[in-house]
Amino acid sequence: EKGDVWTIGSVPWARQAMLVLYHIGQDGELKKSKLHTLDFAGYMHDFVLTSRYLIALNSSAVMGDGETFVDSLQWQGDRPSQLLVFDRDDFSLVKKIEIPPTFVFHFGNAWEERDVIHFTACHYPDMKTVSHAMRRLAKQQHGPYDHAPELVRYSLKLVTGDVQLERLGVDMEFPGFDRARPFSKQSVFGVSGHASSASELASAIVRIDPAMGSLDRYDYGDGVIVEEPLLVAGHTEDYIVHSFLDYGRKRTGVAVLQASNLSAGPVALAHMSRILPLGFHGCFLSGLSATS
């Protein structure tokens, strides 16, 4: 199944909220899809995939009525969130587990140890990052932008449904990992430094081992906002590549760091003589084929 894709689609505005599960072959053909009825229309942005399971988070940010997408999200802090564990092969629901109210955009890597599933997530205690911070950013208003996301490790026992949450002591968003080694215990890298930067947005690139807790970090300091880092595999060394906005010097750039030694700083930098708007996700293509 190398090259196959699993993904989800949320259908919150149906008469009954639904989650759609998809399995797409490497040839782009749909192999399987299934509708799952939800207990409530919680916001879902990302999901977890292991060698045997697909896990979705039905968050406590619930879709309701509103003029815009953001207006329609309502934080229900007295409603537990749900982890929905599906069998990856037939999309049957294996377990539904209640957890404290939470909000997550992105998950990191996942691995299984016997009957325990471990995975990482960038946690927010509520949805103010959407209802407040994003509004202010869209209007180019100064902060405060409320809560920084905290990296949390989940340890889920499938047999009992018990879940342990361990706070890893680092703020992180846009978590990435080596996707050539999926479903393995490995480090996670992402953007950080929200609380300490002048902009209240990320100014640092970090890597953390979620099993051991070891941390590597490079902070560009005030005047720079970093964007989603990507892992680029080399012949002898892996690299982290990311774009950034140097608003102090009014220019956009791209940086390259050694994945094994972030604290040493960039090994290469390239700048533009202009500013590009801040973005979200990135994509690295090792080669492009042109057709005439």
Side-chain angles (χ1 to χ4, degrees):
E1 295 178 336
K2 187 176 181 180
D4 283 15
V5 173
W6 281 260
T7 189
I8 64 172
S10 178
V11 191
W13 292 291
R15 181 174 298 176
Q16 175 65 51
M18 297 279 190
L19 176 68
V20 192
L21 307 169
Y22 300 96
H23 177 190
I24 301 168
Q26 58 182 312
D27 58 359
E29 294 295 322
L30 180 64
K31 286 189 172 182
K32 180 171 63 277
S33 65
K34 188 172 183 179
L35 274 171
H36 173 78
T37 301
L38 298 171
D39 294 335
F40 57 93
Y43 175 73
M44 298 184 187
H45 187 85
D46 195 7
F47 64 95
V48 177
L49 192 68
T50 78
S51 58
R52 294 184 294 171
Y53 302 103
L54 185 155
I55 304 172
L57 171 68
N58 199 16
S59 77
S60 302
V62 182
M63 302 297 297
D65 296 326
E67 291 186 6
T68 67
F69 179 82
V70 172
D71 290 336
S72 65
L73 276 175
Q74 302 160 4
W75 179 250
Q76 298 184 5
D78 56 349
R79 179 193 290 274
S81 297
Q82 294 177 335
L83 288 176
L84 305 174
V85 184
F86 297 95
D87 184 286
R88 206 178 81 165
D89 291 329
D90 63 11
F91 289 155
S92 60
L93 182 65
V94 177
K95 210 86 170 180
K96 178 166 60 179
I97 304 168
E98 287 193 348
I99 59 172
T102 190
F103 185 83
V104 172
F105 281 120
H106 303 116
F107 295 97
N109 64 322
W111 69 96
E112 298 180 33
E113 289 180 331
R114 299 182 182 88
D115 66 335
V116 180
I117 300 173
H118 302 277
F119 60 90
T120 50
C122 299
H123 256 221
Y124 297 84
D126 53 41
M127 56 163 283
K128 285 182 181 177
T129 188
V130 174
S131 60
H132 178 71
M134 288 187 178
R135 286 179 184 275
R136 298 188 69 83
L137 281 170
K139 295 178 181 178
Q140 301 183 35
Q141 296 175 340
H142 291 293
Y145 297 134
D146 297 292
H147 307 287
E150 182 176 21
L151 191 67
V152 173
R153 185 180 72 181
Y154 283 71
S155 296
L156 188 164
K157 292 184 179 179
L158 269 185
V159 175
T160 62
D162 293 334
V163 180
Q164 271 190 326
L165 277 68
E166 180 182 357
R167 299 168 66 174
L168 297 179
V170 60
D171 74 278
M172 182 187 284
E173 249 306 354
F174 301 120
F177 55 95
D178 185 354
R179 296 183 183 274
R181 300 187 297 115
F183 323 134
S184 64
K185 188 188 299 185
Q186 59 170 286
S187 295
V188 182
F189 54 86
V191 303
S192 185
H194 301 73
S196 59
S197 70
S199 67
E200 295 184 51
L201 299 174
S203 62
I205 302 295
V206 298
R207 189 186 76 247
I208 186 170
D209 183 334
M212 304 299 292
S214 56
L215 180 69
D216 191 13
R217 174 187 184 95
Y218 182 77
D219 198 322
Y220 291 84
D222 290 343
V224 173
I225 298 170
V226 296
E227 298 187 297
E228 181 178 29
L230 302 172
L231 182 72
V232 179
H235 293 297
T236 58
E237 177 76 39
D238 291 341
Y239 295 93
I240 298 294
V241 179
H242 71 90
S243 55
F244 62 88
L245 170 62
D246 184 343
Y247 62 87
R249 295 181 175 86
K250 298 183 179 179
R251 61 187 185 180
T252 291
V254 174
V256 181
L257 301 92
Q258 284 184 308
S260 60
N261 191 12
L262 296 182
S263 58
V267 297
L269 285 168
H271 298 93
M272 299 179 65
S273 59
R274 56 171 293 187
I275 289 176
L276 293 181
L278 288 172
F280 284 101
H281 296 295
C283 177
F284 177 79
L285 300 177
S286 59
L288 296 173
S289 59
T291 57
S292 56

